[in-house]
Amino acid sequence: NGLLAQQQNAAFAAMTVNSTCTAGQDACIDGSFAQCTGSTFSMTPCSSGLSCFALPLLNSNGTSISCDTQADAEARIQATGVDGG
């Protein structure tokens, strides 16, 4: 799950609010939570001091997308045994 979170965060870094998307797709764009409605992203900013990240799930396969501090997001990913954020 840590590697998957890293891959998703790397993909999100290349996305913009104008990126094409598929209805129901979630992403993190410019630190905000982004949800695709139709074929465009709708942005929801995170609370002050937080940014949007893909985080590894602990009890099942996959990731969740949520607002968190960068330090906590990196710690969660590293706790899965992978290096880096």
Side-chain angles (χ1 to χ4, degrees):
N1 290 344
L3 288 174
L4 180 58
Q6 284 180 322
Q7 292 167 352
Q8 286 179 321
N9 287 319
F12 295 158
M15 297 173 81
T16 70
V17 69
N18 297 317
S19 294
T20 57
C21 61
T22 304
Q25 177 184 2
D26 294 331
C28 296
I29 299 175
D30 294 328
S32 294
F33 182 81
Q35 186 173 32
C36 187
T37 306
S39 61
T40 59
F41 279 112
S42 173
M43 308 292 285
T44 303
C46 293
S47 298
S48 180
L50 303 178
S51 291
C52 185
F53 297 98
L55 301 171
L57 294 177
L58 300 177
N59 297 321
S60 60
N61 288 335
T63 61
S64 64
I65 298 174
S66 63
C67 296
D68 199 356
T69 64
Q70 180 155 348
D72 187 59
E74 289 175 358
R76 288 180 187 217
I77 291 170
Q78 290 172 353
T80 67
V82 298
D83 291 330

